[in-house]
Structure formats: structure tokens, C-alpha cells
């Protein structure tokens, strides 16, 4: 059996985070052109919201995003970045139309922003000062976020915050099958994205059939809103023992170009 060895360091030196957006590029939805996030702000502070059309909290916060853009958009560069997981242009446009959004939109087509900023759940709000340093990170649109935006508008030079520290991972996949999925895809998506929820259920049943045939399986689940306890519980949904891996920083999804789940890959043909 062929073996797939994936090694990456998720611990990023503090020096790298001085300007975390250095190599990050996203695709602008209006022009479909790749843009450098580092250069996008052109000397202004920068506010980014990472979101998905199927994310209920994201939808609840869209009016606040538009409100903040109206209030601060002249002094702060804004960019709403869709995370490009089980999403498409039609779904995004429906959200834009529903909420009357005029804030600039982009899509993280290469998972560049998500992996760099260690996306762990949506919506994620990221605020950078004029130097490009990350100064605020939150999942909420609350008074503190508005205070930070107000300070930046007034020219206050906010200090960079310390990066999130994560451990290093050494994955050695020695299985016949790898399933990319999420622990919440059958439950949370049952109402938010029914088609994908049904596909996730079907993929799990298909994998269970493979397990009964003696195949070995690794299940890689998205790190979005997922704890070790969640992954352990999800492991019990499989017919036999599987290797369960939480994709801590989205590196495995990015490496294999996973833009929608579920996705079943075979080690010999697709994970070389």
C-alpha cells in the first residue's frame, strides 16, 4: 500500500505575524481578479469579515456589516471574504441582494486567508492597523468591535495582538480511503444546506460500506466549530474503527483542493 506522509508546522513564529497578510490573495467577486490583501487597504486600516452563505450567525450579522461599512468605509478599507466552502456565486449574490450589501466582496478561493489567519469558525472579524498588524479578532459584532473601528477612524495606533498558538502535527496516512467532511454537516446543514447534509449522510454510509468490506479509512473533518470531543462523538457514527483527524488550520483541505464536502478520495489514485 502506498503511504501518504503529510507534515506541516502549525506553529508560526511571532516575526511572521508582524505582517500576516504578506502572501495572502483572494479573488474579488466583481472583477474575478486575484488581489493582494496586503496591498488592498492602500495605507488605511483594514476590516475583514470571513463568512459563508450557509452560516446562520453570518446572516444575522450582515446588517451590522453594512452599517459599519456606511459609518467607517471612508477611513477604513472593508472586505467581506466568503470562505469558499460549499458556496457559489449564485448563493453569494442572493445574500448581497437580500441585505442590500454594498461592501466589497471577495472569495478565499485558495484557502490562503483561512489558513494564514487560522480560521476556526464563521463569522470571523479581523481588524488590522495601518501597518498591516492584526489588532482585533472576534466572532461577534458587539460594542468592542465598534470601539476598535472608531479608534482606527480617529487615527489611534492600536498595537498588534499576539498570534494564536497551535501545536505541530505529523500526519501519516496509511489507509485505503480518506473522507473529507465535517462533524456538523448532517445536523447543522439539515436546515441551512439540506442538499449537502444529505450528501454527507450518503458519504458516511458509503464509507461504512467500505469499512465492512475491510477497507481502512481516515476521516478528515473541518476545524470550523469543532472540538476534540465533537470529533470523538462523530467517530462513533462509523461502522468500524477509523482514524479521525481535525484539520486544525485547514491545511489538509487546502493541500487537496477541497472546496466542498463531503469528498471521498482513494489513497492510491487521488492522494499521491
Amino acid at each position: 500500500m502506498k503511504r501518504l506522509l503529510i507534515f506541516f508546522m502549525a506553529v508560526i513564529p511571532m516575526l511572521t505575524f508582524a505582517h500576516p497578510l504578506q502572501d495572502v490573495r483572494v479573488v474579488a467577486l466583481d472583477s474575478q481578479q486575484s488581489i493582494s490583501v496586503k496591498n488592498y487597504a492602500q495605507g488605511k486600516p483594514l476590516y475583514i469579515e470571513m463568512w459563508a452563505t450557509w452560516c446562520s450567525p453570518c446572516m444575522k450579522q450582515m446588517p451590522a456589516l453594512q452599517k459599519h461599512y456606511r459609518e467607517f468605509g471612508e477611513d477604513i478599507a472593508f472586505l467581506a471574504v466568503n470562505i469558499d466552502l460549499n458556496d457559489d456565486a449564485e448563493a453569494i449574490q442572493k445574500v448581497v441582494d437580500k441585505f442590500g450589501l454594498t461592501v466589497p466582496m471577495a472569495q478565499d478561493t485558495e484557502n490562503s486567508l483561512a489558513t494564514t489567519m487560522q480560521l476556526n469558525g464563521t463569522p470571523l472579524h479581523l481588524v488590522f492597523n495601518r501597518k498591516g498588524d492584526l489588532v482585533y479578532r472576534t466572532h461577534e459584532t458587539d460594542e468592542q468591535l465598534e470601539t476598535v473601528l472608531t479608534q482606527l477612524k480617529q487615527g489611534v495606533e492600536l498595537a498588534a495582538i499576539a498570534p494564536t498558538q497551535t501545536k505541530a502535527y505529523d500526519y501519516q496516512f496509511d489507509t485505503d480511503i480518506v473522507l473529507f467532511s465535517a462533524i456538523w454537516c448532517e445536523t447543522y446543514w439539515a436546515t441551512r444546506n439540506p442538499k449537502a447534509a444529505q450528501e454527507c449522510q450518503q458519504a458516511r454510509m458509503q464509507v461504512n460500506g467500505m469499512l465492512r468490506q475491510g477497507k481502512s479509512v481516515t476521516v478528515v473533518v473541518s476545524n470550523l466549530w469543532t472540538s476534540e470531543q465533537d470529533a470523538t462523538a462523530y467517530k462513533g457514527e462509523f461502522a468500524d474503527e477509523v482514524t479521525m483527524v481535525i484539520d486544525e488550520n485547514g491545511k489538509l483541505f487546502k493541500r487537496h483542493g477541497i472546496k466542498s464536502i463531503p469528498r471521498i478520495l482513494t489513497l492510491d489514485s487521488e492522494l499521491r
Side-chain angles (χ1 to χ4, degrees):
M1 181 183 294
K2 295 183 180 179
R3 300 168 70 87
L4 173 69
L5 179 62
I6 298 177
F7 176 76
F8 61 86
M9 293 295 294
V11 177
I12 304 176
M14 182 71 76
L15 182 60
T16 303
F17 269 77
H19 299 285
L21 300 177
Q22 182 69 36
D23 300 314
V24 175
R25 302 190 71 86
V26 295
V27 173
L29 289 181
D30 56 355
S31 66
Q32 289 299 301
Q33 297 296 311
S34 174
I35 59 174
S36 165
V37 178
K38 176 179 178 291
N39 297 329
Y40 174 78
Q42 297 184 335
K44 292 182 179 180
L46 172 63
Y47 168 67
I48 294 175
E49 178 174 347
M50 302 188 71
W51 67 285
T53 65
W54 42 259
C55 164
S56 181
C58 298
M59 297 304 98
K60 291 179 180 178
Q61 293 182 15
M62 282 299 168
L65 172 64
Q66 182 63 23
K67 172 180 176 289
H68 288 150
Y69 180 59
R70 289 197 307 267
E71 293 179 0
F72 302 104
E74 290 187 9
D75 303 285
I76 299 173
F78 273 64
L79 195 60
V81 180
N82 180 274
I83 65 172
D84 197 20
L85 180 67
N86 289 71
D87 253 330
D88 56 31
E90 181 180 358
I92 294 171
Q93 189 60 49
K94 286 181 179 179
V95 173
V96 170
D97 294 341
K98 178 179 179 180
F99 294 100
L101 301 176
T102 58
V103 59
M105 292 277 175
Q107 200 161 26
D108 192 17
T109 58
E110 300 298 326
N111 251 15
S112 177
L113 182 62
T115 54
T116 299
M117 300 312 303
Q118 301 176 20
L119 175 69
N120 62 352
T122 53
L124 178 63
H125 308 271
L126 303 165
V127 184
F128 302 83
N129 62 21
R130 298 176 192 277
K131 299 176 183 177
D133 302 326
L134 179 67
V135 298
Y136 191 65
R137 176 189 179 110
T138 183
H139 295 293
E140 304 294 335
T141 52
D142 52 17
E143 291 183 6
Q144 183 58 37
L145 174 60
E146 190 153 344
T147 296
V148 169
L149 295 175
T150 299
Q151 290 175 323
L152 290 173
K153 178 178 180 177
Q154 294 171 347
V156 178
E157 290 296 333
L158 300 179
I161 61 175
T164 301
Q165 294 293 326
T166 55
K167 51 188 176 180
Y169 291 86
D170 186 355
Y171 294 126
Q172 184 171 324
F173 292 169
D174 191 10
T175 56
D176 302 305
I177 305 297
V178 176
L179 167 64
F180 286 87
S181 191
I183 60 99
W184 36 260
C185 66
E186 294 180 49
T187 52
Y188 181 68
W189 273 357
T191 55
R192 299 299 305 173
N193 194 345
K195 182 176 182 292
Q198 184 177 22
E199 290 172 350
C200 286
Q201 182 184 41
Q202 292 171 346
R204 178 173 55 81
M205 293 172 65
Q206 182 180 348
V207 166
N208 278 339
M210 295 174 180
L211 285 167
R212 295 187 184 99
Q213 294 170 11
K215 299 290 187 180
S216 56
V217 175
T218 295
V219 180
V220 181
V221 293
S222 167
N223 69 321
L224 299 180
W225 302 118
T226 300
S227 66
E228 294 284 353
Q229 291 80 7
D230 295 328
T232 298
Y234 184 58
K235 189 174 181 179
E237 297 293 322
F238 292 88
D240 202 348
E241 184 68 18
V242 297
T243 300
M244 184 70 60
V245 177
I246 300 175
D247 191 11
E248 292 291 344
N249 288 296
K251 297 281 187 177
L252 300 181
F253 272 60
K254 179 178 180 179
R255 183 185 182 105
H256 297 291
I258 306 300
K259 293 182 175 295
S260 65
I261 53 175
R263 179 86 178 275
I264 298 173
L265 302 181
T266 58
L267 184 63
D268 288 335
S269 62
E270 296 175 275
L271 283 173
R272 286 182 283 180

